Amino acid sequence: MAAKAGSLTGRLSAWVQSPTGPKTTHFWGPVANWGFVGAGLIDAQKPPEMISPNMTGVLCVYSALFMRFSLAIQPRNLLLFACHATNEVVQLNQLRRYYYEDRVPSEQGEGSMAKKVKVLVLGSGWGGIPFVKALDPARCQSHYDLTMVSPRNYFLYSPLLPGAATGTVEGRSIVDSVRRYICDRGTYYEAECIDVDPVDRVATCRYVKPFRGGEIDKRTFKVPYDVLIVAVGSVNNTFGVPGVEDNAFFLKDLAQAKALRKRINDSFEVASLPNTSEEERKRLLTFVVVGGGPTGVEVAAEIHDLIKEDIYGFFPTLKGQATVKIIHTQDHILSAFDRSIAAYATQQFQRSGIELVLGCRVKEVVPGGVMIAEKGKDPKDLKKVDFGTCVWTTGIKMAPITTSLIEKLPAGAQEHWRSLVTDPYLCVKGSHGSIFALGDASTIEQDQALTHAEELFLEGDDNNDGFLSCEEMVKLMKKAKKRFPQLAEHASRMKCGNLPPSVMSEFMHSILKRNTAANYDNVIATSSFYTDDDDDKTQPEEVEPSPQEQHRQKKQLQKEKITLEDFKEQLTQIDKSLRALPATAQVAGQQGEWLAQLFNTHHIGSSAVLNNGIPDATPPFHYAHLGSLAYIGRDKAVIDPGGKDNRLGLVRGWAMGFAWKGAETFMQISKKNMYLVSRDLVKSKVFGRDISDA
């Protein structure tokens, strides 16, 4: 062993001292030349029209000469040879891309550049900014003429709006300028889109802020487009409840958060006056939140923390007199979360003193009171819940421009009541490939497998016997999942083989039970359609069967057949699992980034390319749920990881409160915002929140 170690050390020492070792330029020169390879690999990700054939050809000749040189000298420099051999391959691939891959079709004039596709983005929120940020600047310069129109010239990190309304973080810490991301990619106009003509492909925009010395009509302008991206989000939905807009606060933008923050401070200031009656003081210090979803829960928790941790210290005479209430139509809060997590949040609120008014529907909001009707009682028998401040956090609806656009698309193309219907590539139906929609403004149409049941059945029936066998069923499901995503989970749970018994849906049990009722238990024990999710948990542990038993199971497989009616019934059950994507920042952000990659990779909007520039082999958008978080106060939070065991202790409590703060910090749009948010969280915890109106 010592001899081997000595030999290795000797070889290493000899190499260090050699003419091509790290003490000479013959080593560091080739190392530096690997930069050519790195640059070439980066350029390989850019569109082929950006490749310079002259420069690439020179690099090919350059590397070929140095490959010959590295072998001709003594001693031979193999590191130099490897470097230039790799660069030769990279540069030849670039030439191949330039001459053989499709490039952007151009309309050449005398000395003119290729005509760019005019891309108009409406909105600077969770759909628009991630799209612009992920769009390749070089791609914009070569192919796209990008324009963004939004009345808000900043990106707002909306999940922290409840914290901004209570002083946990400052409003300026959760916003960032739109121009930071658009300046090297295109043009930005601070205006509101008031009309879209999908036929002529023109958007009418208007600067809506008060401006001395100009008329509104003089600030109205038109923006032509080839491709329109609608990312305008949604607006608050009052569901027609009278008095909401006049007597309640919303929490959709920074101005509303500032107004709510001032109202909370003013309520305590007025309540502390010596001439304020006890009845009026009680009403002023009652804070009602309508809506028990994540936003409503976080608003209530933040207001409660503000009162308990800071305000009571400055208003000792009012200590214990404030009340926070949540009014929710369902019988439990956080209905989108796992029930165990919702129960935990309810328990924490009860301990904190936050009152939950559940199973009640708001009928009217009057000055100083919410009129509610309890479920199971006479709708006319209304109960009044007094308040000093009411925050409306439930419900969203389409923005006016989205509603207007739907009305102008071909009849029958848009029949959804909440948003623009798109295909799996986020392209709006009826727009002929010229409009994409993101986030709250869109709903992806999910094709139901049942409508294609007969077509799928014939496709899967390989032997044309009018039935689907186990093997045919498994093959069909795995093939059809590419077309119908709802079949993906079902297909992943299926396998057809000898052993162990395969996994399939409980629905197949009913088929087998109906067809072989007399011998059901024996069939299930050996059936390839057996599911480990069945309610019967008394099945014996699987053991390796004998060859005779395997042969018997093969015979059993041949007897199990699925008729067309059985197949339709199964698809009906599967289609019931179809759900629209939630209207969350997470969905909009992923859609924006995915669409940007589509624009970076393909020639979207090019009239010379079929299907709007999207190749048939391109996979559609797929939403990856990363979990749902909600802050529930007292430095605690809950997280629903989605599909995982939600009963683990780490998904709730103080540990999740720390994780929630970390996630909200590191998910900021920029490093500047990360720093500002982390600073605010530490400052509010150490020094307390600022309760002044400044």
Side-chain angles (χ1 to χ4, degrees):
M1 181 66 70
K4 290 184 178 180
S7 176
L8 180 60
T9 304
R11 290 182 179 180
L12 181 61
S13 177
W15 173 74
V16 170
Q17 302 297 332
S18 69
T20 58
K23 291 186 176 182
T24 68
T25 58
H26 296 289
F27 173 81
W28 293 109
V31 169
N33 282 339
W34 280 99
F36 288 114
V37 178
L41 292 175
I42 294 175
D43 289 342
Q45 307 301 318
K46 297 179 180 179
E49 62 268 14
M50 296 186 64
I51 298 173
S52 170
N54 294 335
M55 178 60 71
T56 305
V58 169
L59 287 174
C60 287
V61 175
Y62 168 78
S63 288
L65 291 174
F66 268 90
M67 287 168 60
R68 177 70 182 90
F69 171 77
S70 64
L71 298 178
I73 61 175
Q74 292 297 329
R76 293 183 297 178
N77 195 329
L78 298 181
L79 180 60
L80 182 64
F81 178 83
C83 167
H84 285 284
T86 306
N87 187 55
E88 187 75 20
V89 173
V90 171
Q91 301 304 329
L92 287 174
N93 178 62
Q94 289 290 79
L95 286 177
R96 178 197 63 80
R97 293 181 64 232
Y98 180 82
Y99 287 108
Y100 293 101
E101 287 191 8
D102 292 333
R103 298 194 297 279
V104 178
S106 60
E107 297 180 5
Q108 298 290 342
E110 184 177 352
S112 66
M113 298 179 62
K115 181 181 179 181
K116 295 183 179 181
V117 176
K118 297 177 181 178
V119 179
L120 174 60
V121 181
L122 301 181
S124 58
W126 279 99
I129 290 299
F131 169 79
V132 171
K133 185 179 179 182
L135 203 58
D136 185 5
R139 187 71 164 169
C140 293
Q141 295 175 7
S142 65
H143 185 48
Y144 299 120
D145 182 5
L146 180 66
T147 302
M148 172 175 278
V149 174
S150 174
R152 195 169 65 187
N153 65 358
Y154 57 86
F155 169 82
L156 171 66
Y157 189 84
S158 54
L160 282 182
L161 272 176
T166 55
T168 304
V169 296
E170 295 299 326
R172 301 296 301 179
S173 299
I174 58 174
V175 300
D176 201 10
S177 173
V178 168
R179 296 189 181 276
R180 180 189 300 272
Y181 306 100
I182 195 72
C183 62
D184 60 343
R185 294 172 174 85
T187 305
Y188 167 71
Y189 298 127
E190 185 182 5
E192 179 183 14
C193 181
I194 58 176
D195 185 63
V196 173
D197 185 346
V199 178
D200 294 335
R201 299 190 181 184
V202 174
T204 303
C205 307
R206 182 175 63 197
Y207 185 83
V208 294
K209 290 184 178 180
F211 187 79
R212 180 181 297 179
E215 297 297 332
I216 288 294
D217 57 351
K218 293 182 180 179
R219 297 195 295 272
T220 299
F221 56 95
K222 296 182 181 294
V223 181
Y225 68 85
D226 297 313
V227 176
L228 175 67
I229 299 175
V230 181
V232 295
S234 57
V235 296
N236 295 291
N237 191 355
T238 64
F239 302 102
V241 176
V244 175
E245 295 184 356
D246 296 329
N247 302 301
F249 287 85
F250 298 109
L251 203 59
K252 288 284 285 184
D253 59 40
L254 196 57
Q256 294 171 346
K258 291 180 178 179
L260 177 58
R261 181 174 179 176
K262 187 177 186 304
R263 177 57 175 263
I264 295 173
N265 295 340
D266 291 346
S267 297
F268 279 88
E269 294 291 353
V270 176
S272 66
L273 296 177
N275 60 344
T276 302
S277 65
E278 288 296 326
E279 181 180 356
E280 179 67 7
R281 182 178 294 112
K282 181 179 180 180
R283 185 188 66 81
L284 285 171
L285 299 184
T286 299
F287 301 89
V288 172
V289 179
V290 180
T295 302
V297 165
E298 290 185 0
V299 170
E302 289 281 7
I303 292 177
H304 181 269
D305 284 356
L306 170 65
I307 295 172
K308 293 286 186 179
E309 297 175 4
D310 296 289
I311 290 183
Y312 277 163
F314 295 101
F315 296 89
T317 59
L318 301 179
K319 189 172 183 179
Q321 299 186 41
T323 304
V324 180
K325 299 181 180 181
I326 294 179
I327 299 177
H328 193 45
T329 57
Q330 299 190 29
D331 59 356
H332 63 281
I333 59 175
L334 295 177
S335 55
F337 283 59
D338 184 87
R339 289 299 292 267
S340 63
I341 293 179
Y344 174 80
T346 300
Q347 182 184 42
Q348 292 299 312
F349 277 178
Q350 291 173 345
R351 289 180 179 178
S352 300
I354 298 177
E355 297 183 21
L356 300 179
V357 184
L358 304 176
C360 297
R361 186 176 297 276
V362 176
K363 293 295 185 179
E364 185 179 3
V365 180
V366 298
V370 177
M371 309 304 295
I372 62 174
E374 299 181 14
K375 288 184 178 179
K377 295 185 178 181
D378 186 355
K380 297 181 180 179
D381 184 13
L382 301 181
K383 178 182 177 181
K384 183 179 181 181
V385 179
D386 293 327
F387 67 78
T389 302
C390 177
V391 186
W392 188 273
T393 66
T394 180
I396 58 174
K397 64 180 180 180
M398 289 186 290
I401 185 61
T402 308
T403 305
S404 173
L405 179 58
I406 288 178
E407 295 173 352
K408 295 184 178 182
L409 291 172
Q414 297 288 325
E415 298 180 350
H416 198 274
W417 61 273
R418 190 179 68 86
S419 54
L420 288 163
V421 179
T422 73
D423 63 16
Y425 297 93
L426 309 182
C427 188
V428 175
K429 297 192 64 179
S431 68
H432 305 292
S434 64
I435 303 177
F436 292 84
L438 307 174
D440 296 356
S442 69
T443 295
I444 299 177
E445 183 181 54
Q446 302 181 72
D447 197 6
Q448 292 192 347
L450 180 62
T451 58
H452 304 273
E454 295 184 5
E455 174 188 345
L456 291 173
F457 190 87
L458 293 175
E459 182 180 347
D461 187 11
D462 294 333
N463 56 7
N464 298 320
D465 63 350
F467 298 93
L468 290 181
S469 66
C470 169
E471 294 179 351
E472 290 173 337
M473 186 69 171
V474 172
K475 181 180 178 181
L476 174 62
M477 284 293 183
K478 291 183 177 180
K479 182 179 180 181
K481 70 179 182 180
K482 298 179 180 179
R483 183 178 175 187
F484 304 99
Q486 63 268 34
L487 301 180
E489 180 179 357
H490 196 72
S492 66
R493 299 175 60 239
M494 296 174 60
K495 60 181 179 180
C496 187
N498 299 328
L499 293 170
S502 65
V503 179
M504 201 171 176
S505 68
E506 294 181 5
F507 171 76
M508 300 311 301
H509 276 237
S510 64
I511 295 178
L512 293 175
K513 189 171 184 178
R514 184 176 69 240
N515 295 339
T516 57
N519 197 29
Y520 176 66
D521 292 335
N522 292 333
V523 172
I524 289 298
T526 61
S527 172
S528 66
F529 289 148
Y530 174 74
T531 172
D532 57 4
D533 291 331
D534 190 74
D535 293 334
D536 183 7
K537 301 300 182 182
T538 62
Q539 296 293 336
E541 184 178 355
E542 296 177 2
V543 295
E544 184 72 21
S546 62
Q548 293 80 6
E549 181 65 17
Q550 294 185 31
H551 179 72
R552 190 180 73 82
Q553 290 186 14
K554 288 183 179 180
K555 293 292 186 181
Q556 182 64 42
L557 284 175
Q558 297 175 358
K559 297 179 181 179
E560 295 173 3
K561 301 290 185 179
I562 302 175
T563 66
L564 176 59
E565 294 304 317
D566 293 333
F567 184 63
K568 287 183 177 180
E569 185 176 346
Q570 185 178 18
L571 293 184
T572 301
Q573 299 300 322
I574 294 175
D575 283 341
K576 287 181 179 180
S577 65
L578 285 172
R579 294 290 186 273
L581 295 179
T584 62
Q586 188 178 156
V587 172
Q590 290 188 25
Q591 288 179 337
E593 293 176 355
W594 180 88
L595 189 62
Q597 294 305 319
L598 194 68
F599 274 64
N600 289 338
T601 307
H602 305 295
H603 306 149
I604 306 301
S606 174
S607 59
V609 184
L610 296 177
N611 196 25
N612 200 42
I614 305 177
D616 293 336
T618 303
F621 169 75
H622 174 72
Y623 170 60
H625 184 58
L626 303 179
S628 302
L629 297 95
Y631 180 68
I632 59 174
R634 299 169 60 190
D635 293 325
K636 295 181 180 180
V638 293
I639 177 173
D640 188 347
K644 298 182 180 180
D645 187 0
N646 295 333
R647 297 183 179 181
L648 297 175
L650 288 179
V651 300
R652 58 195 183 192
W654 282 295
M656 281 300 100
F658 181 79
W660 174 82
K661 292 180 180 179
E664 300 294 14
T665 298
F666 289 103
M667 290 175 63
Q668 294 296 314
I669 192 71
S670 68
K671 293 181 180 178
K672 179 200 74 172
N673 293 100
M674 291 182 191
Y675 162 73
L676 293 175
V677 169
S678 61
R679 181 203 64 182
D680 290 346
L681 291 174
V682 173
K683 182 181 68 174
S684 63
K685 196 65 181 175
V686 175
F687 301 104
R689 301 169 179 84
D690 182 10
I691 65 169
S692 66
D693 290 340

